Structures are given as structure tokens and as C-alpha cells.
Amino acid sequence: QAMDIPIHEFPVRKNYTDSELALKFGKEKGFESFYLIGTGPRGETDHFLGNLFLLFKYPEAVAVLEKERIWG
């Protein structure tokens, strides 16, 4: 918070993933498009699948994997 940037903290056990919390926050602030970067299957499979399903729930989001647009 040294630069007056607000930090939003959430419990570890929650009903939304961190990515979905970010998308929800962005929508509440009026943003209309989102890029999910580095969401590919080379990382943790559960994170990849969670982000993949978010693309169906948030059609305004686009996933970018290794400099290529893979969905949206």
C-alpha cells in the first residue's frame, strides 16, 4: 500500500476462485473486457480448468496462452 493501491483480502476458503474475484471486481468497476494471461495447461490443471470455465461465465474475457489468443 505504499502507493495508495488498495489491497483486497479474502479468506482462503471461499466460493470463488481468485480469477473470478478479479473479474467480478472489474465488472463492478465498469470494465468491459478482460484478458486472462498465462492460463494454459502447463501449470496446475485445476487452475487451467477453472479459468477455462470462467470463459463461459464471462464471455467478455479472453484467454491468452503463449502469446496466442486461445478463446474469446
Side-chain angles (χ1 to χ4, degrees), residues 13-49:
R13 293 181 180 258
K14 54 194 177 291
N15 293 325
Y16 301 102
T17 65
D18 295 339
S19 296
E20 186 164 10
L21 287 170
L23 290 170
K24 289 170 67 73
F25 181 78
K27 286 187 70 123
E28 289 171 6
K29 293 295 182 185
F31 290 91
E32 297 177 359
S33 61
F34 305 92
Y35 289 90
L36 300 174
I37 300 174
T39 59
R42 290 185 184 186
E44 297 180 49
T45 303
D46 59 331
H47 291 202
F48 170 69
L49 292 175

mmCIF file of all heavy atoms in Angstrom, residues 13-49:
data_model
loop_
_atom_site.group_PDB
_atom_site.id
_atom_site.type_symbol
_atom_site.label_atom_id
_atom_site.label_comp_id
_atom_site.label_asym_id
_atom_site.label_seq_id
_atom_site.Cartn_x
_atom_site.Cartn_y
_atom_site.Cartn_z
ATOM 1 N N ARG A 13 -10.645 -20.112 2.207
ATOM 2 C CA ARG A 13 -11.833 -20.890 1.815
ATOM 3 C C ARG A 13 -12.918 -19.912 1.383
ATOM 4 O O ARG A 13 -13.419 -19.137 2.198
ATOM 5 C CB ARG A 13 -12.319 -21.747 2.973
ATOM 6 C CG ARG A 13 -11.355 -22.836 3.329
ATOM 7 C CD ARG A 13 -11.897 -23.664 4.480
ATOM 8 N NE ARG A 13 -10.968 -24.714 4.813
ATOM 9 C CZ ARG A 13 -11.119 -25.979 4.455
ATOM 10 N NH1 ARG A 13 -12.172 -26.331 3.745
ATOM 11 N NH2 ARG A 13 -10.224 -26.873 4.801
ATOM 12 N N LYS A 14 -13.243 -19.944 0.113
ATOM 13 C CA LYS A 14 -14.234 -19.020 -0.436
ATOM 14 C C LYS A 14 -14.984 -19.698 -1.566
ATOM 15 O O LYS A 14 -14.615 -20.778 -2.005
ATOM 16 C CB LYS A 14 -13.551 -17.737 -0.905
ATOM 17 C CG LYS A 14 -12.411 -17.966 -1.882
ATOM 18 C CD LYS A 14 -11.577 -16.719 -2.039
ATOM 19 C CE LYS A 14 -10.391 -16.913 -2.930
ATOM 20 N NZ LYS A 14 -9.348 -17.772 -2.425
ATOM 21 N N ASN A 15 -16.042 -19.062 -2.049
ATOM 22 C CA ASN A 15 -16.886 -19.656 -3.092
ATOM 23 C C ASN A 15 -16.445 -19.303 -4.507
ATOM 24 O O ASN A 15 -17.043 -19.772 -5.465
ATOM 25 C CB ASN A 15 -18.342 -19.234 -2.899
ATOM 26 C CG ASN A 15 -18.940 -19.819 -1.638
ATOM 27 O OD1 ASN A 15 -18.619 -20.942 -1.270
ATOM 28 N ND2 ASN A 15 -19.782 -19.059 -0.978
ATOM 29 N N TYR A 16 -15.436 -18.457 -4.642
ATOM 30 C CA TYR A 16 -14.954 -18.035 -5.953
ATOM 31 C C TYR A 16 -13.444 -18.233 -6.031
ATOM 32 O O TYR A 16 -12.747 -18.114 -5.037
ATOM 33 C CB TYR A 16 -15.272 -16.551 -6.209
ATOM 34 C CG TYR A 16 -16.725 -16.222 -6.142
ATOM 35 C CD1 TYR A 16 -17.279 -15.615 -5.023
ATOM 36 C CD2 TYR A 16 -17.571 -16.522 -7.206
ATOM 37 C CE1 TYR A 16 -18.630 -15.313 -4.953
ATOM 38 C CE2 TYR A 16 -18.923 -16.220 -7.152
ATOM 39 C CZ TYR A 16 -19.445 -15.617 -6.028
ATOM 40 O OH TYR A 16 -20.784 -15.317 -5.971
ATOM 41 N N THR A 17 -12.954 -18.471 -7.248
ATOM 42 C CA THR A 17 -11.508 -18.528 -7.439
ATOM 43 C C THR A 17 -10.953 -17.103 -7.419
ATOM 44 O O THR A 17 -11.707 -16.123 -7.552
ATOM 45 C CB THR A 17 -11.136 -19.177 -8.781
ATOM 46 O OG1 THR A 17 -11.624 -18.331 -9.845
ATOM 47 C CG2 THR A 17 -11.723 -20.574 -8.915
ATOM 48 N N ASP A 18 -9.655 -16.975 -7.267
ATOM 49 C CA ASP A 18 -9.029 -15.649 -7.304
ATOM 50 C C ASP A 18 -9.299 -14.961 -8.636
ATOM 51 O O ASP A 18 -9.567 -13.757 -8.685
ATOM 52 C CB ASP A 18 -7.530 -15.761 -7.061
ATOM 53 C CG ASP A 18 -7.201 -16.262 -5.658
ATOM 54 O OD1 ASP A 18 -8.060 -16.156 -4.757
ATOM 55 O OD2 ASP A 18 -6.076 -16.759 -5.471
ATOM 56 N N SER A 19 -9.249 -15.731 -9.717
ATOM 57 C CA SER A 19 -9.503 -15.153 -11.044
ATOM 58 C C SER A 19 -10.919 -14.628 -11.147
ATOM 59 O O SER A 19 -11.163 -13.541 -11.680
ATOM 60 C CB SER A 19 -9.261 -16.193 -12.136
ATOM 61 O OG SER A 19 -7.913 -16.585 -12.161
ATOM 62 N N GLU A 20 -11.880 -15.394 -10.639
ATOM 63 C CA GLU A 20 -13.265 -14.927 -10.714
ATOM 64 C C GLU A 20 -13.490 -13.708 -9.832
ATOM 65 O O GLU A 20 -14.222 -12.796 -10.208
ATOM 66 C CB GLU A 20 -14.245 -16.035 -10.332
ATOM 67 C CG GLU A 20 -15.682 -15.601 -10.554
ATOM 68 C CD GLU A 20 -16.680 -16.723 -10.566
ATOM 69 O OE1 GLU A 20 -16.340 -17.855 -10.216
ATOM 70 O OE2 GLU A 20 -17.847 -16.442 -10.930
ATOM 71 N N LEU A 21 -12.854 -13.659 -8.671
ATOM 72 C CA LEU A 21 -12.959 -12.461 -7.829
ATOM 73 C C LEU A 21 -12.448 -11.234 -8.581
ATOM 74 O O LEU A 21 -13.037 -10.152 -8.501
ATOM 75 C CB LEU A 21 -12.188 -12.660 -6.534
ATOM 76 C CG LEU A 21 -12.829 -13.603 -5.514
ATOM 77 C CD1 LEU A 21 -11.856 -13.901 -4.386
ATOM 78 C CD2 LEU A 21 -14.122 -13.013 -4.968
ATOM 79 N N ALA A 22 -11.358 -11.406 -9.320
ATOM 80 C CA ALA A 22 -10.808 -10.284 -10.098
ATOM 81 C C ALA A 22 -11.777 -9.859 -11.199
ATOM 82 O O ALA A 22 -11.985 -8.658 -11.428
ATOM 83 C CB ALA A 22 -9.459 -10.675 -10.693
ATOM 84 N N LEU A 23 -12.389 -10.828 -11.889
ATOM 85 C CA LEU A 23 -13.354 -10.497 -12.935
ATOM 86 C C LEU A 23 -14.577 -9.798 -12.353
ATOM 87 O O LEU A 23 -15.062 -8.802 -12.903
ATOM 88 C CB LEU A 23 -13.778 -11.762 -13.689
ATOM 89 C CG LEU A 23 -12.712 -12.388 -14.581
ATOM 90 C CD1 LEU A 23 -13.166 -13.762 -15.066
ATOM 91 C CD2 LEU A 23 -12.393 -11.485 -15.755
ATOM 92 N N LYS A 24 -15.085 -10.298 -11.254
ATOM 93 C CA LYS A 24 -16.245 -9.678 -10.608
ATOM 94 C C LYS A 24 -15.923 -8.245 -10.182
ATOM 95 O O LYS A 24 -16.721 -7.336 -10.388
ATOM 96 C CB LYS A 24 -16.681 -10.496 -9.389
ATOM 97 C CG LYS A 24 -17.330 -11.831 -9.717
ATOM 98 C CD LYS A 24 -17.517 -12.708 -8.489
ATOM 99 C CE LYS A 24 -18.510 -12.170 -7.524
ATOM 100 N NZ LYS A 24 -19.906 -12.267 -7.937
ATOM 101 N N PHE A 25 -14.741 -8.043 -9.610
ATOM 102 C CA PHE A 25 -14.330 -6.712 -9.186
ATOM 103 C C PHE A 25 -14.233 -5.772 -10.388
ATOM 104 O O PHE A 25 -14.703 -4.631 -10.339
ATOM 105 C CB PHE A 25 -12.991 -6.793 -8.442
ATOM 106 C CG PHE A 25 -12.504 -5.471 -7.944
ATOM 107 C CD1 PHE A 25 -13.048 -4.902 -6.805
ATOM 108 C CD2 PHE A 25 -11.492 -4.799 -8.608
ATOM 109 C CE1 PHE A 25 -12.591 -3.672 -6.338
ATOM 110 C CE2 PHE A 25 -11.035 -3.578 -8.150
ATOM 111 C CZ PHE A 25 -11.591 -3.007 -7.007
ATOM 112 N N GLY A 26 -13.627 -6.256 -11.468
ATOM 113 C CA GLY A 26 -13.507 -5.437 -12.672
ATOM 114 C C GLY A 26 -14.859 -5.045 -13.242
ATOM 115 O O GLY A 26 -15.072 -3.901 -13.651
ATOM 116 N N LYS A 27 -15.799 -5.988 -13.256
ATOM 117 C CA LYS A 27 -17.147 -5.675 -13.754
ATOM 118 C C LYS A 27 -17.825 -4.641 -12.870
ATOM 119 O O LYS A 27 -18.481 -3.728 -13.370
ATOM 120 C CB LYS A 27 -17.988 -6.945 -13.835
ATOM 121 C CG LYS A 27 -17.595 -7.836 -15.004
ATOM 122 C CD LYS A 27 -18.544 -8.994 -15.161
ATOM 123 C CE LYS A 27 -19.863 -8.480 -15.635
ATOM 124 N NZ LYS A 27 -20.368 -9.017 -16.856
ATOM 125 N N GLU A 28 -17.659 -4.776 -11.546
ATOM 126 C CA GLU A 28 -18.245 -3.804 -10.619
ATOM 127 C C GLU A 28 -17.667 -2.409 -10.846
ATOM 128 O O GLU A 28 -18.355 -1.415 -10.635
ATOM 129 C CB GLU A 28 -17.982 -4.226 -9.172
ATOM 130 C CG GLU A 28 -18.765 -5.440 -8.736
ATOM 131 C CD GLU A 28 -18.339 -5.966 -7.375
ATOM 132 O OE1 GLU A 28 -17.502 -5.309 -6.696
ATOM 133 O OE2 GLU A 28 -18.830 -7.035 -6.987
ATOM 134 N N LYS A 29 -16.416 -2.338 -11.290
ATOM 135 C CA LYS A 29 -15.764 -1.051 -11.546
ATOM 136 C C LYS A 29 -16.041 -0.524 -12.949
ATOM 137 O O LYS A 29 -15.543 0.528 -13.333
ATOM 138 C CB LYS A 29 -14.248 -1.165 -11.339
ATOM 139 C CG LYS A 29 -13.867 -1.425 -9.898
ATOM 140 C CD LYS A 29 -14.238 -0.243 -9.033
ATOM 141 C CE LYS A 29 -13.833 -0.434 -7.592
ATOM 142 N NZ LYS A 29 -14.289 0.661 -6.738
ATOM 143 N N GLY A 30 -16.801 -1.293 -13.758
ATOM 144 C CA GLY A 30 -17.199 -0.804 -15.071
ATOM 145 C C GLY A 30 -16.340 -1.251 -16.241
ATOM 146 O O GLY A 30 -16.543 -0.801 -17.365
ATOM 147 N N PHE A 31 -15.375 -2.124 -16.010
ATOM 148 C CA PHE A 31 -14.564 -2.621 -17.116
ATOM 149 C C PHE A 31 -15.414 -3.550 -17.988
ATOM 150 O O PHE A 31 -16.287 -4.258 -17.492
ATOM 151 C CB PHE A 31 -13.319 -3.349 -16.606
ATOM 152 C CG PHE A 31 -12.316 -2.428 -15.982
ATOM 153 C CD1 PHE A 31 -12.350 -2.153 -14.630
ATOM 154 C CD2 PHE A 31 -11.350 -1.817 -16.766
ATOM 155 C CE1 PHE A 31 -11.434 -1.287 -14.049
ATOM 156 C CE2 PHE A 31 -10.431 -0.953 -16.195
ATOM 157 C CZ PHE A 31 -10.473 -0.678 -14.832
ATOM 158 N N GLU A 32 -15.158 -3.545 -19.287
ATOM 159 C CA GLU A 32 -15.979 -4.310 -20.221
ATOM 160 C C GLU A 32 -15.247 -5.464 -20.877
ATOM 161 O O GLU A 32 -15.873 -6.301 -21.520
ATOM 162 C CB GLU A 32 -16.540 -3.377 -21.291
ATOM 163 C CG GLU A 32 -17.454 -2.318 -20.711
ATOM 164 C CD GLU A 32 -17.967 -1.351 -21.755
ATOM 165 O OE1 GLU A 32 -17.602 -1.490 -22.943
ATOM 166 O OE2 GLU A 32 -18.726 -0.448 -21.383
ATOM 167 N N SER A 33 -13.934 -5.520 -20.777
ATOM 168 C CA SER A 33 -13.190 -6.633 -21.376
ATOM 169 C C SER A 33 -12.041 -7.012 -20.453
ATOM 170 O O SER A 33 -11.540 -6.184 -19.687
ATOM 171 C CB SER A 33 -12.660 -6.260 -22.765
ATOM 172 O OG SER A 33 -11.785 -5.164 -22.685
ATOM 173 N N PHE A 34 -11.658 -8.288 -20.546
ATOM 174 C CA PHE A 34 -10.650 -8.831 -19.642
ATOM 175 C C PHE A 34 -9.755 -9.801 -20.397
ATOM 176 O O PHE A 34 -10.222 -10.506 -21.288
ATOM 177 C CB PHE A 34 -11.312 -9.587 -18.483
ATOM 178 C CG PHE A 34 -12.301 -8.751 -17.722
ATOM 179 C CD1 PHE A 34 -13.640 -8.743 -18.068
ATOM 180 C CD2 PHE A 34 -11.886 -7.955 -16.679
ATOM 181 C CE1 PHE A 34 -14.549 -7.970 -17.381
ATOM 182 C CE2 PHE A 34 -12.784 -7.166 -15.981
ATOM 183 C CZ PHE A 34 -14.125 -7.177 -16.334
ATOM 184 N N TYR A 35 -8.502 -9.846 -20.029
ATOM 185 C CA TYR A 35 -7.558 -10.814 -20.587
ATOM 186 C C TYR A 35 -7.031 -11.685 -19.458
ATOM 187 O O TYR A 35 -6.496 -11.172 -18.478
ATOM 188 C CB TYR A 35 -6.390 -10.111 -21.289
ATOM 189 C CG TYR A 35 -6.796 -9.439 -22.573
ATOM 190 C CD1 TYR A 35 -7.225 -8.129 -22.583
ATOM 191 C CD2 TYR A 35 -6.769 -10.149 -23.765
ATOM 192 C CE1 TYR A 35 -7.616 -7.524 -23.762
ATOM 193 C CE2 TYR A 35 -7.160 -9.553 -24.946
ATOM 194 C CZ TYR A 35 -7.586 -8.234 -24.936
ATOM 195 O OH TYR A 35 -7.972 -7.645 -26.103
ATOM 196 N N LEU A 36 -7.216 -12.975 -19.601
ATOM 197 C CA LEU A 36 -6.638 -13.939 -18.663
ATOM 198 C C LEU A 36 -5.342 -14.409 -19.287
ATOM 199 O O LEU A 36 -5.347 -15.117 -20.294
ATOM 200 C CB LEU A 36 -7.591 -15.111 -18.432
ATOM 201 C CG LEU A 36 -8.961 -14.751 -17.858
ATOM 202 C CD1 LEU A 36 -9.858 -15.972 -17.825
ATOM 203 C CD2 LEU A 36 -8.794 -14.169 -16.471
ATOM 204 N N ILE A 37 -4.226 -14.025 -18.724
ATOM 205 C CA ILE A 37 -2.916 -14.302 -19.321
ATOM 206 C C ILE A 37 -2.209 -15.399 -18.532
ATOM 207 O O ILE A 37 -2.190 -15.378 -17.302
ATOM 208 C CB ILE A 37 -2.066 -13.018 -19.358
ATOM 209 C CG1 ILE A 37 -2.790 -11.972 -20.204
ATOM 210 C CG2 ILE A 37 -0.670 -13.303 -19.887
ATOM 211 C CD1 ILE A 37 -2.146 -10.615 -20.213
ATOM 212 N N GLY A 38 -1.617 -16.334 -19.265
ATOM 213 C CA GLY A 38 -0.894 -17.411 -18.621
ATOM 214 C C GLY A 38 -1.809 -18.444 -18.001
ATOM 215 O O GLY A 38 -1.520 -18.981 -16.944
ATOM 216 N N THR A 39 -2.916 -18.719 -18.647
ATOM 217 C CA THR A 39 -3.923 -19.632 -18.101
ATOM 218 C C THR A 39 -3.815 -21.026 -18.695
ATOM 219 O O THR A 39 -4.751 -21.799 -18.658
ATOM 220 C CB THR A 39 -5.334 -19.093 -18.365
ATOM 221 O OG1 THR A 39 -5.512 -18.957 -19.775
ATOM 222 C CG2 THR A 39 -5.543 -17.758 -17.702
ATOM 223 N N GLY A 40 -2.691 -21.326 -19.286
ATOM 224 C CA GLY A 40 -2.544 -22.570 -20.044
ATOM 225 C C GLY A 40 -2.399 -23.827 -19.221
ATOM 226 O O GLY A 40 -2.195 -23.791 -18.019
ATOM 227 N N PRO A 41 -2.496 -24.956 -19.895
ATOM 228 C CA PRO A 41 -2.470 -26.253 -19.222
ATOM 229 C C PRO A 41 -1.095 -26.675 -18.716
ATOM 230 O O PRO A 41 -0.969 -27.708 -18.089
ATOM 231 C CB PRO A 41 -2.956 -27.211 -20.316
ATOM 232 C CG PRO A 41 -2.594 -26.545 -21.597
ATOM 233 C CD PRO A 41 -2.717 -25.071 -21.326
ATOM 234 N N ARG A 42 -0.050 -25.896 -18.952
ATOM 235 C CA ARG A 42 1.285 -26.275 -18.484
ATOM 236 C C ARG A 42 1.430 -26.085 -16.974
ATOM 237 O O ARG A 42 2.317 -26.631 -16.353
ATOM 238 C CB ARG A 42 2.359 -25.457 -19.197
ATOM 239 C CG ARG A 42 2.476 -25.831 -20.637
ATOM 240 C CD ARG A 42 3.609 -25.093 -21.277
ATOM 241 N NE ARG A 42 3.638 -25.398 -22.692
ATOM 242 C CZ ARG A 42 4.588 -25.001 -23.500
ATOM 243 N NH1 ARG A 42 5.581 -24.281 -23.041
ATOM 244 N NH2 ARG A 42 4.552 -25.305 -24.766
ATOM 245 N N GLY A 43 0.558 -25.284 -16.394
ATOM 246 C CA GLY A 43 0.596 -25.060 -14.948
ATOM 247 C C GLY A 43 -0.251 -26.099 -14.238
ATOM 248 O O GLY A 43 -0.302 -27.261 -14.629
ATOM 249 N N GLU A 44 -0.931 -25.662 -13.220
ATOM 250 C CA GLU A 44 -1.774 -26.567 -12.465
ATOM 251 C C GLU A 44 -3.071 -26.805 -13.212
ATOM 252 O O GLU A 44 -3.757 -25.868 -13.612
ATOM 253 C CB GLU A 44 -2.043 -25.974 -11.086
ATOM 254 C CG GLU A 44 -0.765 -25.811 -10.266
ATOM 255 C CD GLU A 44 -1.041 -25.227 -8.906
ATOM 256 O OE1 GLU A 44 -1.949 -25.734 -8.228
ATOM 257 O OE2 GLU A 44 -0.345 -24.279 -8.549
ATOM 258 N N THR A 45 -3.421 -28.063 -13.404
ATOM 259 C CA THR A 45 -4.589 -28.433 -14.205
ATOM 260 C C THR A 45 -5.870 -27.851 -13.630
ATOM 261 O O THR A 45 -6.724 -27.371 -14.379
ATOM 262 C CB THR A 45 -4.704 -29.964 -14.316
ATOM 263 O OG1 THR A 45 -3.490 -30.457 -14.881
ATOM 264 C CG2 THR A 45 -5.857 -30.368 -15.198
ATOM 265 N N ASP A 46 -6.027 -27.858 -12.312
ATOM 266 C CA ASP A 46 -7.250 -27.333 -11.719
ATOM 267 C C ASP A 46 -7.405 -25.834 -11.977
ATOM 268 O O ASP A 46 -8.503 -25.348 -12.242
ATOM 269 C CB ASP A 46 -7.322 -27.647 -10.224
ATOM 270 C CG ASP A 46 -6.153 -27.072 -9.434
ATOM 271 O OD1 ASP A 46 -5.062 -26.920 -10.006
ATOM 272 O OD2 ASP A 46 -6.347 -26.797 -8.243
ATOM 273 N N HIS A 47 -6.297 -25.092 -11.986
ATOM 274 C CA HIS A 47 -6.367 -23.667 -12.290
ATOM 275 C C HIS A 47 -6.738 -23.459 -13.755
ATOM 276 O O HIS A 47 -7.538 -22.582 -14.078
ATOM 277 C CB HIS A 47 -5.032 -22.986 -11.993
ATOM 278 C CG HIS A 47 -4.726 -22.926 -10.531
ATOM 279 N ND1 HIS A 47 -3.852 -22.009 -10.012
ATOM 280 C CD2 HIS A 47 -5.159 -23.660 -9.484
ATOM 281 C CE1 HIS A 47 -3.767 -22.166 -8.704
ATOM 282 N NE2 HIS A 47 -4.552 -23.183 -8.365
ATOM 283 N N PHE A 48 -6.149 -24.249 -14.627
ATOM 284 C CA PHE A 48 -6.456 -24.135 -16.048
ATOM 285 C C PHE A 48 -7.937 -24.398 -16.300
ATOM 286 O O PHE A 48 -8.608 -23.631 -16.983
ATOM 287 C CB PHE A 48 -5.603 -25.113 -16.860
ATOM 288 C CG PHE A 48 -6.034 -25.228 -18.291
ATOM 289 C CD1 PHE A 48 -5.868 -24.179 -19.166
ATOM 290 C CD2 PHE A 48 -6.621 -26.393 -18.764
ATOM 291 C CE1 PHE A 48 -6.266 -24.267 -20.492
ATOM 292 C CE2 PHE A 48 -7.021 -26.493 -20.084
ATOM 293 C CZ PHE A 48 -6.844 -25.436 -20.948
ATOM 294 N N LEU A 49 -8.464 -25.473 -15.733
ATOM 295 C CA LEU A 49 -9.875 -25.803 -15.946
ATOM 296 C C LEU A 49 -10.790 -24.741 -15.337
ATOM 297 O O LEU A 49 -11.800 -24.367 -15.942
ATOM 298 C CB LEU A 49 -10.189 -27.181 -15.366
ATOM 299 C CG LEU A 49 -9.529 -28.348 -16.091
ATOM 300 C CD1 LEU A 49 -9.807 -29.652 -15.347
ATOM 301 C CD2 LEU A 49 -10.007 -28.434 -17.526
#
